[in-house]
Amino acid sequence: MAAYLWLVLAFISDVDASSLRPLRQRSPCQVIQNEVYCNDLNLRTVPATLPYGIQKLDLSRNLLQNLTQEVLGNYISIHHLNLHSNNIQFIQPGLFKNFTNLQVLNLSRNNLDVFAISKINIGPLTAAERLDLSGNGLYTGMTDFFLSEAPALMNLSLNGNSITKVEKKTFNGSLALRNIDLHNNVILEIEEGAFDSLLYLSELDLSINSITCITDFNLSQLKVLNLSKNSLECFQTTDSDLEYELLYLDLGENKIHYFPVLPKRNKLIYLDLSRNRLMSVNTTGTEDELEQFRDTFVTHTQTAGTKRYQNFSSLMYLDMSYNKIKRIPQTFFCSMLSLEHLNISYNCIGNFSVNQETPLNSLKTLDVSYNALQKLSFGENTLYFLQELFLQGNFLSILDPGTFQKLPNIRGLHLQQNYLNVCPSYGKLPQTGVPPSCVYFVSIPTLHFLYLSVNHLEVLPPFAFNGTPLSLLDLSLNPGLDVHQNVFSGLETSLTHLSLRENDIPKLNMDLSQLISLKFVDLSTNKLTTLPLWNKKSSIESLNLQNNNLATLDYETVLVLERTLKTLYMGYNPLNCCSNPRFLYMLQRSNVVVPDIATVTCQYMENSKPVEMNVGSVTQEQCQNLDSKGVSIIVIVVTALVVIVVLVVLSKVCHPKRRKLTDGFRA
Ligand SMILES: *[C@@H]1O[C@H](CO)[C@@H](O)[C@H](O)[C@H]1NC(C)=O
Ligand SMILES: *[C@@H]1O[C@H](CO)[C@@H](O)[C@H](O)[C@H]1NC(C)=O
Ligand SMILES: *[C@@H]1O[C@H](CO)[C@@H](O)[C@H](O)[C@H]1NC(C)=O
Ligand SMILES: *[C@@H]1O[C@H](CO)[C@@H](O)[C@H](O)[C@H]1NC(C)=O
Ligand SMILES: *[C@@H]1O[C@H](CO)[C@@H](O)[C@H](O)[C@H]1NC(C)=O
Ligand SMILES: *[C@@H]1O[C@H](CO)[C@@H](O)[C@H](O)[C@H]1NC(C)=O
Ligand SMILES: *[C@@H]1O[C@H](CO)[C@@H](O)[C@H](O)[C@H]1NC(C)=O
Ligand SMILES: *[C@@H]1O[C@H](CO)[C@@H](O)[C@H](O)[C@H]1NC(C)=O
Ligand SMILES: *[C@@H]1O[C@H](CO)[C@@H](O)[C@H](O)[C@H]1NC(C)=O
Ligand SMILES: *[C@@H]1O[C@H](CO)[C@@H](O)[C@H](O)[C@H]1NC(C)=O
Ligand SMILES: *[C@@H]1O[C@H](CO)[C@@H](O)[C@H](O)[C@H]1NC(C)=O
């Protein structure tokens, strides 16, 4: 209470100092031109004397309970009133009648259900264009008390309430609505015609509800419809020749079995059907049922038995990932001349091909990952603009030679988790004959990213990537991989990222320093005992050598790496830290960051027992001690050897004499 009095005083003292100047610094409300911010102040009522003529008043996150003429009556000039997150449970009927400029009224997160129980109407919202009633615990029928006289209302948020049914009369008093957000309610039913009178409705968000079926969709003026995360089993448009304005349709995360029946004449750009139960792209189960929707299909080919699909000539984005589709006939894509993004990952497709009849020449991204693909083929002059191809997680092992060479704009190939092998380069690709049991990666001049991890790759033959200017090459997790010396020939200036992680490689024969652009190298989890010499200028920034059999790095290599290296992973190696002080220095004190330093240990013998010590605690003195111990050991060993040699020599010298003696006796 004391705080409140002080607040009022602060305002009163400001009143005569004429309207729209910032309040005194001690005042809790902030005035910026004609906007007043009183948010987060634990206010229980509206400060009584705010400047006249304010246009925006933010009272969000306070403790207001009752909105009455008394507390708000002075501010009828307001355009924007934010009452988000208070405890409002009472609004004086007719309060907003005189607020002829009030365009935005934000009542989200209050207790308006308490008000609605009393069945009082808040009266006219004369000018309101945006009304936020989200998070108020409102249930079916309660919205009537707020919407019955809202002739200018365009944007309405009712998300996060408990509405179970959208009634026919719900929007009767708000016919100007363009945008309705009903997401996150428990809507089970939409009465027929509930949205019919809303001639301007263009966006409707019904996501996160419990709707089970839409059987006669006929909101032809709607542009955006979100029905994701419901329990939809079907979606069907009324049979009509009307052109629908629908651009975005989100049906993701439902239980849809058959491909939805969409408007015959549509402008659809975006269709999300991911995470449903589609078994095919058929709109119905049987041919008989199909007859019913005959007119909805494009008359593309008249051949008997050829199925006709809907016309999606504007569709740019189609997501059917996470379904149970086994087969997609190519004719399904016939009309999709604009399709840029196709995602059919996580299905059961065994065979995917693109031919000249349906060339998908607008497609930029194609994701067929995590299916059961064994066959893949692309015709000539198809997929002209394809840039990213995702094929990981399939059963691909044999592909026609030139499969990827046919893609004139391909930039990224994701082929991990398949059964592919890499073909050697023999100049020209074989044109005919049996497809080889390997894949050609030569001569793909646009390809920059190639992922081949987990493919059971056995050999990387020489010049395998000739004419393909890769900047990233991931060959990890192909244990036993035999890396040929000249495999990276042709990648000298382009390759920046190389991963050979977890390949059990005992020795790398190639000269990595010829890859002058190489910046990120992962050689972890192999069996390397030495690194290939890095003696030229290098660009290496990050090097992962974790979990190998390295004892040290060459002095020369350290000198070269130190110039550019920023990050080095070195843990889990049997390091002999003292053998190369420069290396020890690099690990301990240079600018090179060693993120796994806690696992970098040095091994040495002490009292003929192996000892491990973290590299961080190894000192130069210890190394010198070790060295001198070493020296004394050497002295002892050498002495011992000398003694032994002398003894042996002596014995040898003696024995022949004896022999000669015995010989002499024999003679
Ligand atoms: C709001 O009104 C109710 C009754 O209408 C009353 O009990 C309550 O004290 C009022 N709250 C405030 C903060 O004025
Ligand atoms: C609205 O304004 C009229 C005239 O300006 C006034 O008589 C009436 O009391 C006001 N009503 C409310 C609810 O503020
Ligand atoms: C209402 O206010 C909250 C919090 O400031 C905001 O997140 C929400 O977008 C606002 N609603 C409208 C319709 O402006
Ligand atoms: C209504 O909301 C949409 C986005 O949801 C926004 O683009 C539009 O400007 C809003 N209209 C009004 C009148 O606030
Ligand atoms: C909607 O309002 C009109 C007039 O405002 C009225 O005639 C009609 O009966 C109302 N419809 C419903 C379903 O309440
Ligand atoms: C949609 O269907 C309802 C009832 O089936 C009908 O009253 C209405 O006129 C139709 N709307 C349009 C735009 O065709
Ligand atoms: C549909 O709604 C869901 C959940 O509210 C949201 O994640 C998704 O982005 C929306 N879809 C579109 C196309 O806006
Ligand atoms: C889809 O339709 C085709 C042709 O009408 C039919 O052969 C096929 O069995 C259908 N697939 C499913 C899963 O119903
Ligand atoms: C598909 O629709 C587009 C535009 O709506 C039209 O130009 C095209 O002719 C239609 N295609 C077929 C095969 O009907
Ligand atoms: C395809 O969909 C899956 C699953 O929804 C998603 O993880 C993946 O990122 C999508 N692919 C592309 C290229 O967007
Ligand atoms: C793969 O699909 C193509 C075209 O849809 C078809 O011609 C071919 O027979 C199919 N192959 C297999 C093995 O299913």
Side-chain angles (χ1 to χ4, degrees):
M1 199 58 188
Y4 169 58
L5 279 178
W6 172 83
L7 213 172
V8 170
L9 286 176
F11 285 122
I12 289 170
S13 66
D14 241 289
V15 169
D16 50 350
S18 109
S19 56
L20 300 178
R21 250 178 345 97
L23 296 185
R24 261 193 352 217
Q25 285 204 330
R26 285 193 305 151
S27 158
C29 290
Q30 241 194 339
V31 180
I32 299 169
Q33 292 184 329
N34 48 17
E35 303 186 348
V36 181
Y37 295 89
C38 304
N39 49 303
D40 302 279
L41 292 172
N42 291 327
L43 300 178
R44 289 181 183 276
T45 183
V46 183
T49 12
L50 297 177
Y52 288 115
I54 56 174
Q55 294 193 350
K56 180 171 178 178
L57 176 55
D58 185 351
L59 286 159
S60 61
R61 286 181 291 272
N62 282 295
L63 303 168
L64 300 177
Q65 273 191 345
N66 300 337
L67 294 183
T68 58
Q69 169 87 27
E70 201 184 339
V71 293
L72 273 176
N74 284 343
Y75 309 116
I76 57 169
S77 63
I78 285 176
H79 292 221
H80 186 143
L81 178 58
N82 192 349
L83 291 159
H84 165 84
S85 228
N86 278 273
N87 290 329
I88 297 168
Q89 36 185 278
F90 176 75
I91 299 173
Q92 185 179 333
L95 172 65
F96 294 111
K97 190 179 180 197
N98 286 355
F99 283 69
T100 49
N101 293 316
L102 186 61
Q103 286 166 359
V104 184
L105 176 55
N106 196 336
L107 288 164
S108 57
R109 287 184 188 258
N110 279 285
N111 301 321
L112 291 174
D113 53 334
V114 175
F115 172 71
I117 285 172
S118 63
K119 296 198 184 330
I120 311 170
N121 213 308
I122 66 162
L125 291 169
T126 321
E129 292 177 1
R130 281 169 81 161
L131 174 61
D132 193 339
L133 291 169
S134 57
N136 270 290
L138 300 174
Y139 46 88
T140 310
M142 286 186 160
T143 54
D144 300 4
F145 307 114
F146 304 91
L147 300 177
S148 61
E149 291 174 80
L153 196 59
M154 294 202 270
N155 281 15
L156 172 62
S157 306
L158 283 168
N159 50 293
N161 282 293
S162 308
I163 299 167
T164 52
K165 180 160 109 178
V166 184
E167 295 171 301
K168 192 164 166 38
K169 63 177 176 23
T170 304
F171 304 111
N172 203 12
S174 50
L175 297 178
L177 276 171
R178 282 161 170 68
N179 192 314
I180 303 176
D181 184 355
L182 278 162
H183 89 260
N184 199 13
N185 276 278
V186 276
I187 298 172
L188 289 156
E189 189 188 345
I190 298 173
E191 276 188 358
E192 200 172 291
F195 300 104
D196 278 354
S197 51
L198 304 177
L199 301 180
Y200 307 103
L201 188 63
S202 90
E203 293 190 28
L204 181 54
D205 188 347
L206 287 165
S207 61
I208 322 182
N209 276 290
S210 309
I211 302 167
T212 52
C213 202
I214 304 274
T215 48
D216 50 1
F217 174 65
N218 76 348
L219 300 172
S220 60
Q221 80 284 18
L222 208 58
K223 293 205 164 100
V224 181
L225 176 57
N226 195 339
L227 281 162
S228 69
K229 301 190 188 175
N230 275 275
S231 309
L232 282 182
E233 288 175 12
C234 70
F235 182 94
Q236 280 169 8
T237 308
T238 354
D239 187 11
S240 153
D241 285 324
L242 216 63
E243 180 162 51
Y244 280 59
E245 300 297 319
L246 196 63
L247 301 174
Y248 292 84
L249 177 58
D250 191 342
L251 296 171
E253 282 195 61
N254 278 290
K255 299 174 181 168
I256 299 176
H257 288 269
Y258 298 110
F259 199 86
V261 178
L262 295 165
K264 243 186 278 182
R265 293 176 60 209
N266 67 67
K267 301 177 176 175
L268 210 58
I269 291 175
Y270 175 103
L271 177 56
D272 189 345
L273 277 164
S274 63
R275 295 171 201 269
N276 274 286
R277 296 179 184 171
L278 300 178
M279 312 266 282
S280 71
V281 290
N282 294 356
T283 41
T284 54
T286 66
E287 203 74 324
D288 291 343
E289 289 170 68
L290 200 68
E291 207 58 42
Q292 201 183 324
F293 303 101
R294 183 57 81 194
D295 290 342
T296 32
F297 301 109
V298 179
T299 46
H300 172 71
T301 36
Q302 297 293 344
T303 339
T306 308
K307 205 165 143 52
R308 290 169 292 175
Y309 295 95
Q310 305 172 71
N311 186 349
F312 295 111
S313 56
S314 312
L315 197 64
M316 294 167 77
Y317 179 102
L318 176 57
D319 188 348
M320 299 197 291
S321 60
Y322 283 104
N323 276 284
K324 296 172 177 166
I325 303 171
K326 290 206 172 77
R327 209 175 84 85
I328 303 185
Q330 279 173 68
T331 43
F332 172 70
F333 299 109
C334 266
S335 65
M336 300 189 193
L337 301 176
S338 311
L339 195 65
E340 292 185 1
H341 182 102
L342 174 60
N343 194 340
I344 44 176
S345 61
Y346 297 95
N347 277 285
C348 327
I349 299 165
N351 177 4
F352 189 82
S353 52
V354 179
N355 66 20
Q356 274 153 312
E357 270 173 66
T358 308
L360 290 174
N361 268 341
S362 297
L363 208 58
K364 290 182 180 154
T365 314
L366 173 58
D367 191 341
V368 200
S369 59
Y370 301 99
N371 275 281
L373 279 189
Q374 286 183 297
K375 290 221 156 199
L376 175 76
S377 66
F378 306 136
E380 296 289 342
N381 304 319
T382 64
L383 298 171
Y384 186 81
F385 284 112
L386 192 67
Q387 293 183 351
E388 294 284 336
L389 179 55
F390 298 85
L391 292 168
Q392 68 270 28
N394 279 292
F395 300 102
L396 295 173
S397 65
I398 296 177
L399 294 174
D400 286 335
T403 298
F404 301 124
Q405 283 78 4
K406 282 180 198 152
L407 305 172
N409 283 298
I410 190 74
R411 284 177 58 79
L413 266 180
H414 303 254
L415 291 168
Q416 58 272 36
Q417 297 175 36
N418 277 289
Y419 296 88
L420 299 172
N421 254 305
V422 178
C423 293
S425 147
Y426 295 123
K428 270 197 159 178
L429 297 179
Q431 294 301 311
T432 49
V434 195
S437 57
C438 59
V439 180
Y440 288 94
F441 292 104
V442 291
S443 307
I444 314 176
T446 53
L447 190 65
H448 292 297
F449 311 102
L450 178 58
Y451 299 85
L452 280 169
S453 63
V454 197
N455 262 284
H456 309 284
L457 294 182
E458 286 159 17
V459 189
L460 280 185
F463 305 103
F465 308 103
N466 212 2
T468 300
L470 295 176
S471 61
L472 181 149
L473 180 55
D474 183 357
L475 296 162
S476 57
L477 288 143
N478 288 291
L481 183 64
D482 177 7
V483 186
H484 193 278
Q485 195 175 355
N486 290 321
V487 68
F488 301 130
S489 291
L491 304 181
E492 286 81 1
T493 55
S494 64
L495 199 65
T496 58
H497 290 67
L498 175 63
S499 177
L500 285 165
R501 182 170 60 92
E502 290 190 51
N503 283 333
D504 290 347
I505 299 173
K507 189 166 166 51
L508 279 175
N509 288 319
M510 79 266 308
D511 181 0
L512 285 178
S513 61
Q514 288 190 338
L515 301 169
I516 56 173
S517 301
L518 204 54
K519 287 197 169 83
F520 302 89
V521 185
D522 189 348
L523 298 172
S524 60
T525 316
N526 280 291
K527 294 182 173 154
L528 299 176
T529 49
T530 58
L531 269 196
L533 202 61
W534 244 300
N535 51 11
K536 300 215 184 75
K537 235 182 97 185
S538 104
S539 315
I540 301 282
E541 286 177 17
S542 170
L543 181 58
N544 192 338
L545 296 171
Q546 249 184 19
N547 203 11
N548 275 286
N549 289 332
L550 295 164
T552 183
L553 299 186
D554 281 310
Y555 184 75
E556 298 277 322
T557 305
V558 171
L559 285 189
V560 171
L561 289 178
E562 245 184 4
R563 271 183 237 141
T564 54
L565 199 63
K566 291 178 183 150
T567 314
L568 175 66
Y569 293 83
M570 201 68 231
Y572 307 107
N573 276 289
L575 292 182
N576 177 348
C577 299
C578 293
S579 65
N580 182 351
R582 188 78 199 197
F583 178 49
L584 187 60
Y585 173 81
M586 180 162 81
L587 289 174
Q588 288 181 337
R589 278 192 300 278
S590 70
N591 289 331
V592 178
V593 178
V594 185
D596 64 348
I597 189 95
T599 60
V600 184
T601 51
C602 303
Q603 306 194 340
Y604 57 90
M605 302 292 281
E606 199 172 78
N607 304 328
S608 62
K609 278 187 195 148
V611 179
E612 270 194 6
M613 188 183 222
N614 187 274
V615 69
S617 40
V618 175
T619 61
Q620 288 290 342
E621 291 77 46
Q622 269 173 320
C623 278
Q624 272 154 17
N625 282 346
L626 277 179
D627 282 353
S628 52
K629 266 185 202 162
V631 167
S632 52
I633 287 168
I634 287 170
V635 169
I636 291 165
V637 170
V638 167
T639 322
L641 277 175
V642 168
V643 171
I644 289 166
V645 166
V646 168
L647 285 177
V648 168
V649 166
L650 278 179
S651 68
K652 290 225 164 165
V653 168
C654 293
H655 276 287
K657 275 186 183 168
R658 271 194 208 154
R659 269 198 198 142
K660 271 183 187 165
L661 280 176
T662 46
D663 282 354
F665 279 115
R666 266 190 198 166

